[in-house]
Amino acid sequence: MPHFYAECTNNIREEADLPALFARVNQALADTGIFPLAGVRSRAIWLDTWQMADGKQDYAFVHMTLKIGHGRSPESREQVGEMLFALIKEHFAALMAQRYLALSFTMEELDPLLNYKQNNVHALFRKE
């Protein structure tokens, strides 16, 4: 963990430049020192069918979710949330200046017991 999801309307697929956003998000999360780099994942969910507001404009939205494992303090979660949303707003600023665009972000803490995983990537990043 953490896992970053970007749910996006298909009408901004090219302009959204999600690979660049994901590179920044992954590095920013790793730089916090509270998330292991080997557990950071970012992914896009493209929506080809949606309606927003009255449907009369070429509206677009990106709803982002960060799912994290249980156990971080409320203060650290708030710091990460504020840092990531600032990064997100910066990434989409030019696009928002050109079109109708709604950005939203939420963080979810996963259940401490009902969260199962196996990952052999962590060994690659362990310090010798």
Side-chain angles (χ1 to χ4, degrees):
M1 286 297 183
H3 293 199
F4 183 77
Y5 298 78
E7 182 181 353
C8 308
T9 56
N10 209 28
N11 60 342
I12 57 169
R13 186 180 281 265
E14 296 302 317
E15 301 91 341
D17 194 10
L18 291 187
L21 175 64
F22 292 166
R24 292 183 67 199
V25 165
N26 284 24
Q27 189 61 58
L29 289 171
D31 288 349
T32 66
I34 63 173
F35 302 110
L37 179 59
V40 179
R41 294 171 187 77
S42 293
R43 60 185 59 85
I45 302 164
W46 291 103
L47 304 171
D48 63 1
T49 307
W50 74 93
Q51 181 167 331
M52 186 174 164
D54 60 7
K56 294 181 180 180
Q57 302 290 328
D58 186 29
Y59 303 117
F61 70 81
V62 183
H63 174 67
M64 292 145 287
T65 304
L66 182 68
K67 294 186 179 187
I68 64 170
H70 178 75
R72 275 70 180 206
S73 71
E75 296 80 18
S76 66
R77 292 193 313 258
E78 184 176 12
Q79 287 175 338
V80 168
E82 290 176 3
M83 176 270 298
L84 274 187
F85 197 56
L87 185 155
I88 289 163
K89 290 188 299 185
E90 179 183 318
H91 178 83
F92 286 106
L95 186 57
M96 186 167 266
Q98 299 169 14
R99 62 170 304 119
Y100 294 112
L101 175 65
L103 301 175
S104 56
F105 170 72
T106 187
M107 186 182 308
E108 298 176 7
E109 185 179 49
L110 299 177
D111 187 285
L113 299 176
L114 302 175
N115 180 15
Y116 308 94
K117 54 191 164 218
Q118 182 177 358
N119 180 344
N120 66 2
V121 178
H122 287 280
L124 179 66
F125 292 93
R126 283 195 186 102
K127 295 181 178 150
E128 301 294 320

